[in-house]
Amino acid sequence: RKGAACGYPYARKRLGEAREKGELGLTIDIFEAMTHYYLAREYWDGKVAELTSKGLPAAVAGGDAAAVEKWLRFYDPEVPGFLEGWLKTAEVGAVDLARRFVAAGIDPEARHRNQTALTTAALFGRAGMVGWLLDQGCSVDAGDPLALGAGQGHLEVVKLLVAKGASLAGEGGTSSPRPLQRAMARGHRSVATFLLEKGAAGIDLRSNDGKRLMADLRAKGDTAMAHLLLEAKDSGLSPEAKKALREEIAGEEQAAARKQKWLAGELLVRRDGGGAPLADQAGDFATAPWQCVSDEMSGLTWLVKDDADGLHDKDQVFYLPDGSARDCRPENCDALAYKEMANRSKLCGAAD
């Protein structure tokens, strides 16, 4: 107050210093003092939007109730910073701070950049805030909070909104991605299952959206969600088409399971030089070496090279055949000669 009383330039200087240091509490204290003097009125009117946009959301994010109270003394519904602070309470789930905003006069359904506190709370999974906002009379469907919560996989939020009467088709009906579609597209099976159990209509698999969703799920290997989508009511498919698609998905599941076994090494079989599987498939190579490995996934057989200076020495060097006499020495081996010699020896049990 002394700084403001002594003169506008001094108060403005102190304000600038506080802002540069990030002292948000001091900033609002100085403004609070300046507003008591006519010299500060013009400056305050020009800077309130800028400073509120920085200070109030930061105070909310930090849980600084005292700072929030100070900012709210200057509440003005036309200043975006107050709306930004309001939405920040929903983002962080600060119900106690949200109560202070309402007491200051903010409309619980106020929109900022096409978002409301309810849609923000649903998006960030703040179930407690969602419940409190609904108790304040916020529309359960405005802005499609159910679709936002479902798309992020926030099951508790989804359950709360459905219990309060949210439309299972979403605010936009069939004109925008529905809650079920969003949940499925992002792999939130528990949310999708809950929505179906509550009576959400399935997705027409004959439509472009339905075809695209099914293709995406299969491409990602999410066969469990693909089955859920297929078996939901209102899929639009005939029993024959459903059966054919069901068999295709089952085949993909088998292929995926086989690939996992292959990645785990379960489809690589150790064999002796004649191609017979070794009795011990888990032994150590140093004590029980094997000469061949067959890949049951690709059908290929791999040779384990040796260091015996023979036909299969690991240091063998090959050259392309040039029509001269067939020869294969460790330092210089005709590739065609090598093939013929390997076939005659039936290496790994193969002569092809």
Side-chain angles (χ1 to χ4, degrees):
R1 290 181 184 274
K2 179 180 179 182
C6 289
Y8 178 53
Y10 176 79
R12 183 172 178 177
K13 178 183 176 182
R14 289 293 295 119
L15 181 63
E17 292 172 350
R19 289 172 60 195
E20 288 177 4
K21 294 178 181 179
E23 297 173 338
L24 297 175
L26 181 56
T27 298
I28 188 59
D29 284 341
I30 294 173
F31 260 126
E32 188 177 19
M34 290 174 70
T35 53
H36 289 279
Y37 298 89
Y38 70 93
L39 288 175
R41 292 290 182 180
E42 181 180 351
Y43 187 74
W44 165 254
D45 291 342
K47 293 295 183 180
V48 64
E50 174 192 346
L51 291 172
T52 306
S53 293
K54 293 178 180 178
L56 186 51
V60 171
D64 190 341
V68 170
E69 285 283 5
K70 290 179 180 179
W71 285 109
L72 290 177
R73 292 176 191 171
F74 305 99
Y75 173 67
D76 182 345
E78 301 300 320
V79 175
F82 288 105
L83 292 174
E84 291 168 9
W86 167 242
L87 293 187
K88 180 63 73 171
T89 66
E91 179 182 328
V92 300
V95 174
D96 180 61
L97 296 181
R99 289 193 180 97
R100 298 169 191 254
F101 276 81
V102 172
I106 200 163
D107 178 2
E109 293 195 288
R111 285 180 177 265
H112 180 59
R113 295 176 181 171
N114 208 34
Q115 292 293 320
T116 67
L118 183 57
T119 59
T120 302
L123 183 66
F124 286 91
R126 308 301 184 186
M129 178 63 78
V130 168
W132 181 79
L133 288 167
L134 292 173
D135 289 341
Q136 304 311 301
C138 291
S139 170
V140 73
D141 287 321
D144 229 348
L146 181 60
L148 293 172
Q152 295 300 317
H154 300 313
L155 182 57
E156 291 307 311
V157 168
V158 169
K159 288 182 175 180
L160 184 56
L161 290 168
V162 171
K164 293 291 185 176
S167 170
L168 297 174
E171 183 187 41
T174 57
S175 64
S176 62
R178 294 177 295 174
L180 177 62
Q181 185 176 344
R182 292 197 185 196
M184 286 187 161
R186 298 191 179 184
H188 302 306
R189 199 179 314 157
S190 60
V191 172
T193 300
F194 173 79
L195 291 172
L196 287 170
E197 290 174 348
K198 289 299 180 179
I203 298 168
D204 190 342
L205 295 177
R206 299 168 302 177
S207 68
N208 289 335
D209 284 345
K211 290 177 182 177
R212 189 180 303 112
L213 177 56
M214 178 61 81
D216 288 346
L217 292 174
R218 293 172 67 180
K220 290 187 293 187
D222 193 350
T223 53
M225 189 70 85
H227 276 300
L228 193 64
L229 174 60
L230 176 62
E231 304 304 334
K233 64 180 182 179
D234 305 322
S235 69
L237 298 181
S238 66
E240 294 76 16
K242 263 192 172 184
K243 179 181 178 182
L245 188 52
R246 192 180 296 121
E247 290 174 352
E248 288 181 17
I249 296 172
E252 291 167 4
E253 287 178 318
Q254 293 173 1
R258 185 172 175 80
K259 182 178 180 180
Q260 289 303 312
K261 292 181 68 176
W262 178 76
L263 290 172
E266 297 177 18
L267 299 181
L268 300 175
V269 181
R270 302 172 183 179
R271 299 181 181 275
D272 61 25
L278 298 186
D280 182 6
Q281 290 289 319
D284 183 69
F285 184 81
T287 57
W290 52 90
Q291 292 179 276
C292 310
V293 176
S294 63
D295 182 349
E296 303 299 299
M297 184 78 168
S298 67
L300 298 174
T301 298
W302 304 91
L303 169 68
V304 180
K305 294 289 187 176
D306 57 38
D307 197 20
D309 294 331
L311 187 63
H312 309 305
D313 189 272
K314 64 182 179 63
D315 298 319
Q316 187 71 276
V317 177
F318 301 91
Y319 66 91
L320 294 175
D322 57 7
S324 60
R326 300 282 182 258
D327 190 17
C328 188
R329 300 183 301 277
E331 70 280 0
N332 193 10
C333 185
D334 180 304
L336 186 56
Y338 179 81
K339 185 189 79 168
E340 293 173 350
M341 296 169 73
N343 280 335
R344 283 198 301 270
S345 70
K346 294 188 177 180
L347 177 64
C348 299
D352 57 356

